[in-house]
Amino acid sequence: MNAKTDIDLREKGLKATYPRIKILELFAQEGARHLSADDVYRELLDQGVEIGLATVYRVLTQFEQAGVLLKHHFDGTKAVFELAENHHHDHLVCVDCGRIVEFHDEAIEARQKAIAEQYGFSLEDHALALYGRCVQGADCPYRKTRSKS
């Protein structure tokens, strides 16, 4: 593991099994990772790791329930997962290629808090996803990597 994901599975109530360790290592790789179960399965196969698709689904569900991963439904159908880290961020999602960009903006955060207070709420959590199209169009390099499952 690296410093980014120094996660003790036992502290989360999970045994450190081979499938759990390999899946956690995949999410721990550098760069923001928003992976579907199929993405995880394919990447593990590409690495020569023999873990069944049913096991991938089971581990992802266990990780979500234990607070290791967050689950998102950006395109309305296929779930993607990311590490549940200690910093809040929002997402930009391309409706054409599926690219997901993480961002944090203090002005947006302050405005959301002010709106909640205006309507008599104490904001505890939120999720913001902005949907648009990459300005690169058909030349977008991310279009090639989007899974079609």
Side-chain angles (χ1 to χ4, degrees):
M1 270 337 125
N2 60 28
K4 180 179 176 185
T5 58
D6 191 19
I7 296 172
D8 186 344
L9 292 176
R10 288 170 296 193
E11 287 180 6
K12 301 286 187 178
L14 299 169
K15 290 182 182 177
T17 64
Y18 180 75
R20 289 179 182 149
I21 291 168
K22 296 313 284 182
I23 291 171
L24 188 57
E25 285 175 350
L26 183 61
F27 279 94
Q29 292 175 0
E30 276 306 308
R33 307 288 294 191
H34 298 87
L35 302 171
S36 70
D38 291 334
D39 295 334
V40 169
Y41 178 69
R42 277 192 298 277
E43 289 202 28
L44 290 172
L45 283 179
D46 289 348
Q47 295 175 11
V49 177
E50 304 249 351
I51 296 175
L53 184 57
T55 300
V56 169
Y57 275 100
R58 185 173 56 253
V59 170
L60 292 175
T61 299
Q62 292 167 346
F63 280 178
E64 180 194 8
Q65 291 171 347
V68 174
L69 296 178
L70 296 175
K71 182 179 187 178
H72 302 285
H73 289 275
F74 292 126
D75 66 3
T77 56
K78 180 177 68 170
V80 294
F81 298 84
E82 70 174 320
L83 282 175
E85 299 177 296
N86 292 332
H87 70 281
H88 171 77
H89 61 267
D90 296 309
H91 298 91
L92 286 163
V93 182
C94 178
V95 297
D96 288 331
C97 72
R99 182 176 139 202
I100 300 167
V101 176
E102 296 177 354
F103 72 94
H104 180 83
D105 184 288
E106 284 300 327
I108 291 174
E109 298 301 317
R111 185 68 185 126
Q112 290 174 122
K113 183 178 178 184
I115 290 170
E117 290 172 358
Q118 175 184 345
Y119 289 99
F121 285 81
S122 172
L123 195 60
E124 293 186 15
D125 195 14
H126 77 274
L128 176 64
L130 303 172
Y131 297 86
R133 287 187 165 77
C134 295
V135 295
Q136 298 176 17
D139 295 329
C140 177
Y142 298 97
R143 186 176 307 273
K144 298 175 195 135
T145 61
R146 183 172 188 199
S147 64
K148 300 290 183 192
S149 58

